[in-house]
Amino acid sequence: MSTPTLNSAGKKRGRALGVTLSSYLFLLPALVLLFVFTVYPVLYGSYLGFTKYTALQFGTGQPPQWIGLENFRTLAGDDLFRIGLANSLKYLLVVPVLQIASLAVAVLVNRSLPGITFFRAAYYIPVITSVSLAAVMWDWIYNKDGTLNWFLKSLHILGQNANISWLLNPDTAFWAIMFVTFWRGFGYYMVLYLAGLQSIPAELEEAATLDGASRAQTFWRVTVPLMKPTILLCSLLSTLSALRVLDEIIVFTNGTGGPLNSTYTALLYVYKKSFGGLDFNYGLASAAGLVVAVLALGLSIINFRYFRDASVRA
Amino acid sequence: MRLRKRLRQAGVYAVLVGILIFAIFPFLWTFVISVTDSGSVTTGRTVYDFPASLLPARVTLANFVTVFQTYPALGRAFLNSVIISGLSVLGTLIVSSLAAYPLARNDFWGKAAVFSLIIATLVLPTETSFLVNMLTLAKLRQLPVVGELLGVGSYLGVVLPTLSTAFGIFLMRQAFLTIPGSLLEAARMDGATELQVLRRIMLPLAKPSLAALAIFTLVGTWNSYFWPSIALTGAQDKLPLAVEMLKLKGAFNDNIFNTAAGAMIMMLPILLLFVFAQKHFMRGLDGAVK
C-alpha cells in the first residue's frame, strides 16, 4: 500500500515543481522589464548621486568615480538648484486648491440630474489632453492678444490698454503654468472623489438627515470623515506630481524655465544637468534627483500623519 | 416649495455650465481657429479679435490640408504615434496578462513575495529613472544586430521601459481572480496547456479589463511628451505627434490656423476613443484606486 502513496506524493511534488516553473516562465518578461527599467534605475541612480560621472566617462567606458558628498556640496552652493527647489515647493500651492475644487465638483456632479453624465465626461477631457497640446492651446489664451486679457478687460479687472503676455512676464508665468496643471488635474481627482462618494452607503447620510442634521452638517460630519482614505490618496498623488513638475515647464518655456528662471523647478535642473543642457553631468543630476526623492518621501509621511490624525479626531 | 426647488436646480445647472466652459474652452477656441478661413481674417482684424472671431466669417477645412503640405513631418509623426502607441498597448497587454495569470491562479513557491515586490515598485522614487534608462538604452544601442532596434532612437527603446507596470499586472490579476475556478479545472482536465488556458478561457473572460488597460495605455503613450522626446534623440524621423506638436507651433508662429489644425488632428483620435469607450476610462481609473 505504501508504494502508491509514495508515488502520488512524488507526482504531487513533481506537479508542484512544474507549476512553480511555469509560473515563473509566465512572470519572466514582466519581472525582467520591471527590474531593468524600474528598480535598477532607482538603485543605480542613487549610487550615481555619490559619484563623478559625465558623458565623457560614459562614452569612453570609464566607471563612475566615488566622491562621497561632493555633488551635494555643489548643489548647496548652486543658486539655480536653490531656485529650482524653491519653485518646486512653491508649486505645492496647487495641491490644496486642486483638491478642494475637485471634491466640490465631485459633490456637485454626484446627483442624478438629466445630463449629469455628460458634464462628468466633459470635465474629464482636459485630463486626456497631452501636455504639449495644452501648451499649444493655452498659448492662444495667454499671449498678449489672447483671450485671457480680453476676459479680464471685459470684467474691468485689467485696464483697457493692459496687454500682458502671461507666459513672458516673470511675475505671472509661474502662476499661468500652475493654472494649466489645475485645468488638467481637476477632472482626474473629481473622478476619484466621485468613486469615493458613491461608495458611501446612502443609509448613513439618510440617517443623519433623519436625525435632523443639515446638509452641511451631514457633509462635514458624515461624508468627509468617510472620505478620508480617498482624500489621503488624492492629496498624496497630487503632492508628488506637483513636487515633480517637469513636463509643463519644458513645454511652456521651451525647456528654459524662464523668464528669468521664474519657472525653473528642481526636476528641470535634473534634466538640464543630464541631457537638456551642455553639462552632461550625470552624477550631479542624480544627486539633485535624490534630494527631490527625499523631499517626496518626507511630504508623503506628512500627508499620512496629517490625514491619519485628522481621521482619529473626527 | 416647488419653485424653490426649480430655482435651486437652475442654479446647479448654471454652475455646471460654467465649469463646462472652463474645461472645454481651449478646445472650442482651437477648433474655431482650425476651421477659420485664414483669407477672411483681414489685416487689423485678427483671429484674436475676440469674441467676434468665435464666429468665423468663412469656415473652411483647407487648414487641415495646408498643414500637411507645408509641414510634411506631421504625417510621419502621426504614423509614429500610431506605431509607438500600438506597440505599447500590445506589449503591455501581453506582459501584464502573462504575469497576472500565475499570480491569480497558481500556487507556487515565492508567490506572495513576488506579488509584494511588484506592488512595492509603485512607491519607488522615479525622479531620475529617465537618466539611467537613457544610459541603458545607449548601451543597448551598442549591441550588435539588435542595437538599432532596441537602443536610443528606436521605437522599441521608447516602448520597452513602459511595458511592465504594477498597475497593469494588478488590474489583470484582479480580473483573473473573478473568473470561476471550475472553468479552469475543466480545461486543465481536458489536457489544455497553461498558455491555452490563458488564451482560450482567461483572456476572453477578462475582456473588459483588457479594454480598460489598453485604453489607459493608449492615451498615456499617445499624450506622452518627455520620455519620447529624449529617448528618440537623434531620430527625428521617429518623433511622435506629442513632440512634433511643439515644433509645429514654433514653425507656424505667424500662422496659427495651421497649428490649430495640427492640434485638432492630434486630439481627435483620443476624443473619439473617449466618446465611444467612456466607461472603460472610468473603469481603468477605478482599478488604479482599488
Side-chain angles (χ1 to χ4, degrees):
Chain A
M1 281 314 271
S2 64
T3 328
T5 327
L6 259 180
N7 224 340
S8 85
K11 249 187 203 161
K12 227 177 196 171
R13 204 181 305 148
R15 206 182 106 72
L17 188 68
V19 169
T20 299
L21 275 179
S22 88
S23 297
Y24 278 103
L25 210 59
F26 275 58
L27 278 159
L28 194 67
L31 291 182
V32 168
L33 288 171
L34 210 53
F35 180 78
V36 174
F37 293 112
T38 307
V39 179
Y40 165 75
V42 175
L43 301 175
Y44 189 59
S46 306
Y47 164 69
L48 283 185
F50 299 92
T51 66
K52 179 181 184 297
Y53 199 44
T54 59
L56 188 69
Q57 280 163 281
F58 179 77
T60 54
Q62 287 169 294
Q65 190 188 337
W66 184 268
I67 51 168
L69 297 175
E70 190 56 39
N71 286 329
F72 297 95
R73 266 178 231 124
T74 310
L75 289 177
D78 191 341
D79 283 341
L80 210 47
F81 183 64
R82 272 207 296 260
I83 293 172
L85 216 48
N87 277 333
S88 287
L89 289 172
K90 197 162 111 187
Y91 218 85
L92 292 173
L93 288 172
V94 78
V95 175
V97 183
L98 187 50
Q99 295 312 311
I100 291 168
S102 311
L103 183 54
V105 175
V107 170
L108 186 73
V109 299
N110 184 31
R111 59 187 83 199
S112 43
L113 283 176
I116 200 73
T117 49
F118 164 76
F119 287 103
R120 282 181 201 161
Y123 296 171
Y124 197 73
I125 291 177
V127 182
I128 53 167
T129 307
S130 172
V131 69
S132 57
L133 210 51
V136 170
M137 298 191 300
W138 279 84
D139 197 49
W140 296 324
I141 295 173
Y142 282 148
N143 77 36
K144 69 176 167 47
D145 303 315
T147 36
L148 180 60
N149 281 329
W150 170 84
F151 182 68
L152 294 176
K153 278 180 204 171
S154 47
L155 290 178
H156 296 285
I157 295 172
L158 276 184
Q160 289 310 304
N161 297 318
N163 275 316
I164 301 174
S165 289
W166 295 87
L167 289 168
L168 299 178
N169 184 329
D171 294 327
T172 56
F174 183 84
W175 307 105
I177 295 176
M178 192 191 270
F179 191 72
V180 176
T181 299
F182 175 85
W183 177 72
R184 286 181 73 225
F186 87 94
Y188 178 78
Y189 296 108
M190 173 201 78
V191 171
L192 295 187
Y193 282 127
L194 195 59
L197 286 172
Q198 291 180 340
S199 70
I200 295 175
E203 301 91 63
L204 284 175
E205 284 166 344
E206 278 163 20
T209 317
L210 280 180
D211 286 345
S214 69
R215 274 179 86 109
Q217 278 173 328
T218 311
F219 179 73
W220 290 110
R221 302 272 171 79
V222 180
T223 313
V224 169
L226 286 168
M227 288 283 285
K228 281 278 150 66
T230 314
I231 297 174
L232 169 65
L233 177 84
C234 291
S235 78
L236 191 64
L237 288 177
S238 101
T239 300
L240 292 179
S241 60
L243 188 70
R244 292 168 178 167
V245 59
L246 173 65
D247 291 31
E248 280 98 328
I249 308 296
I250 293 182
V251 297
F252 274 101
T253 71
N254 286 323
T256 62
L260 300 178
N261 295 330
S262 61
T263 61
Y264 203 102
T265 63
L267 276 203
L268 186 66
Y269 184 90
V270 174
Y271 169 63
K272 293 293 239 186
K273 290 294 165 188
S274 52
F275 305 108
L278 301 168
D279 299 87
F280 299 104
N281 190 338
Y282 306 143
L284 188 63
S286 300
L290 264 180
V291 174
V292 180
V294 170
L295 268 177
L297 184 68
L299 287 170
S300 307
I301 293 172
I302 291 173
N303 254 299
F304 268 103
R305 281 266 168 83
Y306 180 74
F307 283 105
R308 202 190 50 202
D309 292 354
S311 65
V312 169
R313 248 183 280 133
Chain B
M1 201 59 198
R2 183 173 277 176
L3 183 71
R4 257 185 74 178
K5 207 178 160 191
R6 279 273 170 85
L7 278 175
R8 203 192 158 85
Q9 214 177 50
V12 169
Y13 274 110
V15 178
L16 286 172
V17 170
I19 302 172
L20 177 73
I21 292 172
F22 168 67
I24 66 168
F25 174 75
F27 299 99
L28 287 180
W29 186 216
T30 306
F31 172 71
V32 169
I33 300 173
S34 75
V35 297
T36 299
D37 184 349
S38 56
S40 72
V41 183
T42 49
T43 39
R45 268 207 53 183
T46 69
V47 70
Y48 289 122
D49 193 6
F50 206 76
S53 56
L54 258 187
L55 282 173
R58 251 184 300 159
V59 170
T60 175
L61 288 178
N63 299 323
F64 290 86
V65 180
T66 23
V67 69
F68 278 108
Q69 285 167 349
T70 44
Y71 199 79
L74 196 66
R76 177 77 213 198
F78 193 93
L79 187 67
N80 290 336
S81 281
V82 171
I83 293 172
I84 292 171
S85 303
L87 287 174
S88 296
V89 169
L90 201 65
T92 303
L93 293 188
I94 293 173
V95 168
S96 308
S97 305
L98 278 177
Y101 174 61
L103 288 174
R105 285 311 189 173
N106 287 347
D107 276 317
F108 60 92
W109 182 82
K111 175 170 145 179
V114 168
F115 186 60
S116 312
L117 279 177
I118 292 174
I119 296 302
T121 61
L122 281 174
V123 296
L124 283 177
T126 50
E127 280 82 7
T128 53
S129 294
F130 74 85
L131 198 164
V132 178
N133 281 341
M134 271 298 278
L135 301 184
T136 305
L137 290 189
K139 288 223 177 81
L140 285 176
R141 174 86 199 192
Q142 288 159 6
L143 290 177
V145 192
V146 291
E148 286 204 15
L149 284 175
L150 297 176
V152 175
S154 68
Y155 292 125
L156 281 177
V158 180
V159 169
L160 278 179
T162 65
L163 294 185
S164 183
T165 60
F167 168 70
I169 296 170
F170 186 75
L171 191 77
M172 290 317 297
R173 175 184 172 268
Q174 296 305 94
F176 292 157
L177 279 176
T178 61
I179 295 170
S182 51
L183 281 173
L184 259 86
E185 288 313 317
R188 283 176 178 164
M189 287 291 207
D190 288 347
T193 66
E194 289 293 271
L195 211 54
Q196 282 170 333
V197 175
L198 178 64
R199 267 184 47 200
R200 306 253 169 84
I201 296 171
M202 303 302 264
L203 290 183
L205 289 173
K207 260 185 197 154
S209 293
L210 282 172
L213 182 57
I215 287 172
F216 204 79
T217 311
L218 178 68
V219 174
T221 46
W222 187 270
N223 288 341
S224 163
Y225 168 80
F226 180 65
W227 173 242
S229 78
I230 59 169
L232 290 169
T233 304
Q236 296 288 326
D237 57 326
K238 296 198 180 74
L239 291 175
L241 274 176
V243 180
E244 211 62 57
M245 205 55 237
L246 285 180
K247 297 189 181 171
L248 184 69
K249 177 186 155 206
F252 287 121
N253 250 339
D254 43 355
N255 188 341
I256 68 169
F257 306 99
N258 282 348
T259 315
M264 290 318 293
I265 289 166
M266 181 181 169
M267 189 66 200
L268 207 60
I270 296 295
L271 216 49
L272 286 177
L273 188 71
F274 182 63
V275 169
F276 289 111
Q278 209 194 99
K279 64 172 196 240
H280 292 302
F281 276 81
M282 309 299 172
R283 195 191 160 88
L285 209 55
D286 277 357
V289 188
K290 280 162 196 163

